[in-house]
Amino acid sequence: MPSSTTPKQPSLHDVAKLAGCSYQTVSRVVNSDARVSDATRERVMAAIAATGYRRNSAARALVTARAGVIGVVTDGSWRYGPMGALYGVEEAARKAGYSVLMSVRERDSFKSLESTLEAFADAFVDGIVVIAPLRTEAALTRQVGSSFSWARRLPVVMLAPDPTPADGVLIVSEDQHLGARLATRHLIRLGHRTIVHVAGSQKWLDGSVRLEGWRAELTAHGLEVPEPIFGKWTGQSGYDAGRRLIKSGLPDAVFAASDLMALGMMRAFHEAGVRVPDDVSVVGFDDHEFARQFSPPLTTVRQDFRALGHRCLELLLAGDGEPKLREPIRPRLLVRLSTRPRTAAEPAETVVTSG
Amino acid sequence: MPSSTTPKQPSLHDVAKLAGCSYQTVSRVVNSDARVSDATRERVMAAIAATGYRRNSAARALVTARAGVIGVVTDGSWRYGPMGALYGVEEAARKAGYSVLMSVRERDSFKSLESTLEAFADAFVDGIVVIAPLRTEAALTRQVGSSFSWARRLPVVMLAPDPTPADGVLIVSEDQHLGARLATRHLIRLGHRTIVHVAGSQKWLDGSVRLEGWRAELTAHGLEVPEPIFGKWTGQSGYDAGRRLIKSGLPDAVFAASDLMALGMMRAFHEAGVRVPDDVSVVGFDDHEFARQFSPPLTTVRQDFRALGHRCLELLLAGDGEPKLREPIRPRLLVRLSTRPRTAAEPAETVVTSG
DNA sequence: GCGAACCATGTGAACGTTCGCATGACGAAG
DNA sequence: CTTCGTCATGCGAACGTTCACATGGTTCGC
């Protein structure tokens, strides 16, 4: 007859009593210590099954000073990149035997990141991964090592598109600069000469790094760098950019800083009867699940989030060993149907920028 | 000069020594117990700041038998629904003062769900939320209450589109059946008569519930129920469905079980010169961020993930109290430009199904 | 001016585990 | 037969908290 009180969680002692041995022996069995005879092991196993014993990880964590938990701070935005990185880290952590404590930060808030990090420090994690796409966050995370005393004991890894080293914080970076260059280079190779960039918000590091990559590639090829159009990652801002481009005269090609903005832009084009890629080539960034279903399927840049997550964990678990594998993850360009060679005729001569 | 040994985490005792009081007093301060004089509180606060003290939550959890952590099991798929629900739960948990331990299950694996749940039981969580879109998962989760002894002490909430009660498992459901009916009803009201459904994989509960909703609404209006086309949630399967529809003759309208499938289908239409909504109306499901940037913007069904997450936590924290607020979350239809009234002419007379 | 009530603070135990060491049994080597 | 090593097992302490209760000091009411 079940009593009304909540049945207490069985402990090592309860199991031991049932198995007729000491709690220490039971502990050895749960930790698969070799030094226990087969006979007793069997009895203990049976007792464990009978009582439904599960080891209390709080007690374990208390004495070993190791929780087996990694905290991940991520961005509240629904952007594809941060979410992919979260999944990547989770997968890597699980494989390494860690659990993942996740915390989604309210958007754009300093206070929030700070208190999130403090909460993690409280929550007994063995390490923290900060997915920091915002410029301000990255800066704040960089200070963590020097401004929070707890950070001295807690390894912090920041996942950012910018490999600038920081005090006490390990950095895993995605080479989005390269990604942007690949995208731009592809357009140049196709013979396009005026290549406009529809940029993401410059508050995000991703936004400015992609912008710079585009600029760098153009100048490397001696091409003029047109005025970029600044969007806000949203589809609507992509749409607005598209309309502006139509009004001001179409370039040969557009490199959008995200697939979502590319889609919004393509909607504006479609409405106005501008054909992609016949009238203008379009490249996106992210390789969002939706991108290959665009009309036409979008040429875009993919980052390997899984590798990214694994890299984060590697670094975190290696502790403060030498930071040798600081090399960023290389993105890949996926060529689909939204880009095509420039329609011959005009000479594809290199234009030299003034100065 | 920093010693090479890792500095030990300061404890209540260390703070107490510095502040010149007992550890108990310090404990009262950190827990903001009123019964401590202002003078000592100030001294203690100073000592806390000086030592960089953070309370050890493992020790706290050990003695209070409450970890302040909720485990969330989610689907490995990148589908919008499960991910949205995860964010919703996280938000609600954070507001209620809980942390969220997340675990992404390998797709389609019984073993994996089982071991994930066991891992959570070990990991000292106060409750578990299972986001269970898969039919098989839902079934397994339902058994949890009866097959795992630990589940008796651990509240489990399942988030599923199906409100069937289960032993020992609380259920929060989204009324996707209603969502599908709203979508179908909208099309019927616009005067469409043959309305095909491009279904999601029937392995997912969402898939079959949406299918049934569509079927129910059609029969409620006395309309014939055409053969559905079965997809797999992927954009490619939506594309394939679109091509099949073009080949076999277009219906008045299509209700796709997800926005992604709708996009794939619209790509097939676009390629073939079929215009949306002029030639065929299209409705999706999810209100994915991308949906409003489709050409044309997609009419779709939105679920309130935030509310869903809050509901889960409410139920989880209320424990096994009366399960009164079992009412499912109601979705909303968002009408955009992918649907329009049927081009007059034909009489919109109700067709009576045979039998 | 004395007991009651109140307040700030301190003490001891407990939570469930792991770690280091002690114990006793047994077999092998001397 | 002794001595030592090996093996299975047990015991006590410690980890850093919170909880229930104890203590001593101040203030109140009669």
Side-chain angles (χ1 to χ4, degrees):
Chain A
M1 151 180 44
S3 88
S4 69
T5 62
T6 309
K8 200 174 64 75
Q9 194 80 256
S11 75
L12 282 183
H13 297 270
D14 301 316
V15 177
K17 205 183 300 170
L18 187 64
C21 63
S22 81
Y23 58 89
Q24 181 57 257
T25 305
V26 181
S27 170
R28 281 191 253 264
V29 171
V30 231
N31 295 327
S32 34
D33 186 320
R35 308 187 156 245
V36 56
S37 73
D38 292 347
T40 38
R41 165 170 293 118
E42 228 162 282
R43 258 183 312 134
V44 169
M45 296 284 238
I48 287 177
T51 53
Y53 169 79
R54 312 247 94 207
R55 77 169 153 213
N56 182 319
S57 53
R60 184 192 170 80
L62 177 58
V63 64
T64 58
R66 188 183 156 285
V69 174
I70 302 260
V72 180
V73 187
T74 183
D75 183 43
S77 78
W78 279 75
R79 290 188 47 229
Y80 195 64
M83 273 175 117
L86 172 63
Y87 272 37
V89 171
E90 196 278 342
E91 179 186 86
R94 185 156 27 84
K95 288 200 172 135
Y98 283 82
S99 303
V100 167
L101 209 53
M102 82 180 247
S103 183
V104 178
R105 206 177 6 68
E106 309 278 345
R107 189 176 257 176
D108 246 337
S109 151
F110 284 93
K111 254 288 178 289
S112 169
L113 176 54
E114 197 170 330
S115 63
T116 301
L117 289 176
E118 298 224 331
F120 273 156
D122 280 349
F124 217 70
V125 297
D126 300 318
I128 298 183
V129 175
V130 181
I131 298 172
L134 266 177
R135 186 174 273 300
T136 49
E137 291 159 12
L140 184 56
T141 307
R142 281 217 171 67
Q143 296 168 13
V144 158
S146 37
S147 50
F148 296 104
S149 55
W150 52 260
R152 293 257 162 258
R153 309 170 194 109
L154 207 56
V156 176
V157 169
M158 174 166 67
L159 178 54
D162 166 20
T164 313
D167 178 32
V169 175
L170 303 168
I171 306 214
V172 170
S173 62
E174 329 142 55
D175 198 346
Q176 300 193 11
H177 192 271
L178 174 62
R181 291 193 71 150
L182 291 176
T184 311
R185 190 173 309 161
H186 170 64
L187 292 170
I188 294 171
R189 291 220 176 117
L190 289 176
H192 300 303
R193 286 299 167 264
T194 60
I195 299 170
V196 169
H197 180 50
V198 175
S201 164
Q202 300 297 298
K203 285 187 187 172
W204 269 259
L205 273 170
D206 313 57
S208 54
V209 170
R210 292 174 194 183
L211 173 70
E212 287 315 320
W214 162 77
R215 197 194 302 276
E217 187 68 16
L218 285 183
T219 55
H221 284 261
L223 289 175
E224 199 176 349
V225 179
E227 192 64 26
I229 300 182
F230 291 99
K232 300 185 282 190
W233 298 123
T234 62
Q236 182 62 43
S237 72
Y239 178 80
D240 295 342
R243 297 196 47 127
R244 256 179 69 185
L245 284 173
I246 292 165
K247 205 169 291 178
S248 65
L250 283 177
D252 296 343
V254 185
F255 165 42
S258 79
D259 289 351
L260 179 56
M261 290 198 298
L263 181 61
M265 190 171 66
M266 283 164 71
R267 174 161 72 93
F269 288 164
H270 189 262
E271 277 182 14
V274 173
R275 293 161 307 164
V276 175
D278 309 72
D279 299 328
V280 59
S281 284
V282 174
V283 179
F285 204 110
D286 278 345
D287 190 31
H288 192 285
E289 184 181 20
F290 278 51
R292 80 184 65 185
Q293 301 305 328
F294 290 4
S295 302
L298 188 68
T299 295
T300 187
V301 178
R302 168 190 286 178
Q303 299 175 82
D304 187 349
F305 295 121
R306 187 166 302 196
L308 221 48
H310 281 262
R311 185 72 64 88
C312 279
L313 237 78
E314 232 168 70
L315 220 57
L316 203 60
L317 299 183
D320 35 23
E322 42 273 56
K324 53 191 170 186
L325 29 90
R326 198 66 71 85
E327 193 185 324
I329 303 280
R330 297 173 74 88
R332 256 170 58 213
L333 179 74
L334 298 178
V335 177
R336 300 210 181 92
L337 303 178
S338 65
T339 47
R340 66 165 221 180
R342 189 188 196 188
T343 45
E346 299 152 294
E349 203 180 11
T350 300
V351 178
V352 181
T353 33
S354 59
Chain B
M1 149 179 46
S3 89
S4 68
T5 63
T6 310
K8 201 174 62 79
Q9 195 78 257
S11 75
L12 282 183
H13 298 271
D14 300 319
V15 177
K17 205 183 301 172
L18 188 63
C21 62
S22 81
Y23 58 89
Q24 182 57 256
T25 305
V26 181
S27 169
R28 280 191 254 264
V29 171
V30 269
N31 294 327
S32 35
D33 187 319
R35 307 187 158 245
V36 56
S37 73
D38 292 348
T40 39
R41 164 169 294 117
E42 227 161 286
R43 254 183 316 135
V44 170
M45 296 284 240
I48 288 177
T51 52
Y53 169 79
R54 312 247 94 208
R55 79 169 151 212
N56 182 321
S57 54
R60 183 192 170 82
L62 177 59
V63 63
T64 58
R66 187 184 156 286
V69 174
I70 303 260
V72 180
V73 187
T74 184
D75 183 44
S77 78
W78 280 75
R79 291 189 45 229
Y80 195 64
M83 273 174 118
L86 173 62
Y87 272 37
V89 171
E90 196 278 340
E91 180 187 84
R94 186 157 27 85
K95 287 201 171 134
Y98 284 82
S99 302
V100 167
L101 210 53
M102 84 180 244
S103 182
V104 178
R105 205 176 6 70
E106 309 279 344
R107 189 176 257 178
D108 248 334
S109 152
F110 283 92
K111 252 293 178 285
S112 168
L113 177 54
E114 196 170 328
S115 63
T116 301
L117 290 176
E118 299 224 332
F120 273 157
D122 280 348
F124 218 70
V125 298
D126 300 318
I128 297 183
V129 176
V130 181
I131 298 173
L134 265 178
R135 186 173 274 298
T136 50
E137 290 160 13
L140 185 56
T141 308
R142 280 214 172 70
Q143 295 168 14
V144 158
S146 37
S147 50
F148 295 106
S149 55
W150 51 259
R152 294 257 160 258
R153 311 169 193 109
L154 208 56
V156 176
V157 169
M158 173 166 69
L159 178 54
D162 166 18
T164 313
D167 177 33
V169 175
L170 304 166
I171 306 215
V172 170
S173 63
E174 330 141 54
D175 198 345
Q176 300 191 11
H177 192 270
L178 174 63
R181 292 194 69 150
L182 290 176
T184 312
R185 189 174 308 162
H186 170 65
L187 292 171
I188 294 171
R189 291 222 174 113
L190 290 175
H192 300 303
R193 285 301 168 263
T194 59
I195 300 170
V196 170
H197 179 50
V198 176
S201 164
Q202 301 296 298
K203 286 189 189 171
W204 269 257
L205 273 170
D206 314 56
S208 54
V209 170
R210 292 174 194 183
L211 173 69
E212 287 314 319
W214 162 76
R215 198 194 302 277
E217 186 69 15
L218 284 183
T219 57
H221 283 262
L223 289 175
E224 199 176 351
V225 180
E227 193 63 26
I229 300 180
F230 292 99
K232 301 185 283 190
W233 298 122
T234 62
Q236 182 61 41
S237 72
Y239 178 79
D240 295 340
R243 296 195 49 124
R244 256 179 70 184
L245 284 173
I246 292 165
K247 206 169 291 179
S248 67
L250 283 177
D252 296 343
V254 184
F255 164 42
S258 78
D259 289 350
L260 179 56
M261 289 198 298
L263 181 60
M265 189 171 66
M266 284 164 71
R267 173 161 73 94
F269 288 165
H270 189 261
E271 278 181 13
V274 172
R275 293 160 308 162
V276 175
D278 309 71
D279 300 326
V280 57
S281 284
V282 173
V283 179
F285 204 110
D286 279 345
D287 190 29
H288 193 285
E289 185 182 19
F290 278 51
R292 80 183 64 186
Q293 302 304 328
F294 290 5
S295 302
L298 188 69
T299 296
T300 189
V301 178
R302 168 190 288 180
Q303 299 176 82
D304 187 348
F305 294 121
R306 189 167 301 199
L308 219 49
H310 282 263
R311 185 71 64 87
C312 279
L313 238 79
E314 234 167 68
L315 219 57
L316 203 59
L317 299 183
D320 37 21
E322 47 265 67
K324 54 191 172 189
L325 30 88
R326 199 65 69 87
E327 193 186 325
I329 303 282
R330 296 173 72 88
R332 256 169 58 213
L333 179 75
L334 298 178
V335 178
R336 300 210 179 92
L337 303 179
S338 65
T339 49
R340 67 165 219 181
R342 189 187 195 189
T343 46
E346 299 152 295
E349 203 179 10
T350 300
V351 179
V352 181
T353 34
S354 61

